[in-house]
Amino acid sequence: MTAAPSIVSAAALPLATQLIHLFAALLLLLSFAMLAQRRVVNLVNLFAAQGATLVACAVVVAYSTHQPDLYQSAALTFVLKVLVLPYVLHKLIGRLHAEWDTETLVNIPTMQIIGILLVIFAFVLAQPISQFAGAATRSTLGQAIAVVFLAFLMMIVRRKAIAQVVGFLAMENGLLFAATSATHGMPMVVELGIGLDVLVGVFILGIFFFQIREQFDSLDLQHMETLKED
């Protein structure tokens, strides 16, 4: 009896709001796919798919709110997160010969269960704020926080440096989605600064990868624990 009114109310939402909800769900599904993925190359491809989802969401928000600045934000996100950063990461993987499977501290099923618990916690955490938000923000805020938590979980359970960097970039995707869907975007100057900081950070981490590989002949960060003994 209660399912029919909820379906009717969901259908009564504007098309732009329904699309934002769809992109939020897709972003969350991609986060779970990244948790279950074992190959680094596929992790980078899923990160690029997250970037494409962010671009589509920014375009919908820009069209529905008539904010031309968000079109520039979508273009910047497309260049950085769909083209430049995946290209740089693929080049690093190729030069480091790091196409191997990633190792995790816990098995995939356990990680998925932890991810589901984190999603529930994210929705509970966002519920007090969502009560004062609009229709588009009411559910997407919890999903954005869940994306951040899942990316943080991926950084914790992965042992390889490149996989942890992808987790950091996925966390930034969640924050950007929250800014786009909940607050209708940040000022362009702020987004440019964040984008350039992330890009420079990836280049620095690339140099860091080469130093680790040259010193330890591996990208497993557990080898760095031997420095404590020295």
Side-chain angles (χ1 to χ4, degrees), residues 161-182:
I162 295 181
Q164 293 186 357
V165 169
V166 175
F168 168 76
L169 294 175
M171 183 185 300
E172 201 266 338
N173 281 345
L175 296 175
L176 183 60
F177 177 74
T180 302
S181 61

Side-chain angles (χ1 to χ4, degrees), residues 113-183:
I113 294 174
I114 297 174
I116 293 173
L117 295 177
L118 286 176
V119 171
I120 296 174
F121 176 70
F123 276 91
V124 172
L125 188 65
Q127 187 175 6
I129 305 174
S130 301
Q131 292 177 354
F132 303 98
T137 311
R138 198 164 288 132
S139 63
T140 56
L141 184 60
Q143 289 170 307
I145 297 175
V147 170
V148 174
F149 284 167
L150 292 177
F152 188 65
L153 174 63
M154 188 172 70
M155 291 179 63
I156 294 175
V157 299
R158 301 288 182 179
R159 294 181 178 179
K160 304 299 182 180
I162 295 181
Q164 293 186 357
V165 169
V166 175
F168 168 76
L169 294 175
M171 183 185 300
E172 201 266 338
N173 281 345
L175 296 175
L176 183 60
F177 177 74
T180 302
S181 61
T183 65

Side-chain angles (χ1 to χ4, degrees), residues 2-206:
T2 58
S6 62
I7 295 175
V8 173
S9 61
L13 292 174
L15 178 60
T17 302
Q18 295 183 41
L19 287 175
I20 292 173
H21 289 170
L22 175 63
F23 294 140
L26 182 58
L27 204 64
L28 194 58
L29 287 175
L30 288 171
S31 297
F32 273 103
M34 294 174 77
L35 277 180
Q37 190 53 244
R38 293 184 178 274
R39 293 190 61 82
V40 178
V41 174
N42 293 337
L43 277 179
V44 176
N45 293 335
L46 289 171
F47 166 73
Q50 276 193 338
T53 305
L54 288 174
V55 171
C57 181
V59 170
V60 170
V61 174
Y63 178 80
S64 61
T65 59
H66 307 287
Q67 296 188 43
D69 289 345
L70 287 178
Y71 289 112
Q72 302 174 19
S73 173
L76 176 64
T77 302
F78 179 78
V79 171
L80 283 178
K81 297 182 177 295
V82 181
L83 298 179
V84 176
L85 290 178
Y87 175 79
V88 171
L89 290 173
H90 277 300
K91 281 292 185 181
L92 284 173
I93 292 171
R95 293 192 63 181
L96 293 169
H97 304 289
E99 296 88 355
W100 24 252
D101 294 345
T102 59
E103 299 178 9
T104 58
L105 297 177
V106 296
N107 56 42
I108 299 299
T110 303
M111 196 158 39
Q112 295 288 331
I113 294 174
I114 297 174
I116 293 173
L117 295 177
L118 286 176
V119 171
I120 296 174
F121 176 70
F123 276 91
V124 172
L125 188 65
Q127 187 175 6
I129 305 174
S130 301
Q131 292 177 354
F132 303 98
T137 311
R138 198 164 288 132
S139 63
T140 56
L141 184 60
Q143 289 170 307
I145 297 175
V147 170
V148 174
F149 284 167
L150 292 177
F152 188 65
L153 174 63
M154 188 172 70
M155 291 179 63
I156 294 175
V157 299
R158 301 288 182 179
R159 294 181 178 179
K160 304 299 182 180
I162 295 181
Q164 293 186 357
V165 169
V166 175
F168 168 76
L169 294 175
M171 183 185 300
E172 201 266 338
N173 281 345
L175 296 175
L176 183 60
F177 177 74
T180 302
S181 61
T183 65
H184 294 166
M186 297 178 291
M188 196 59 184
V189 176
V190 177
E191 292 196 21
L192 281 172
I194 294 175
L196 290 176
D197 287 344
V198 171
L199 185 60
V200 171
V202 169
F203 279 111
I204 293 174
L205 287 170

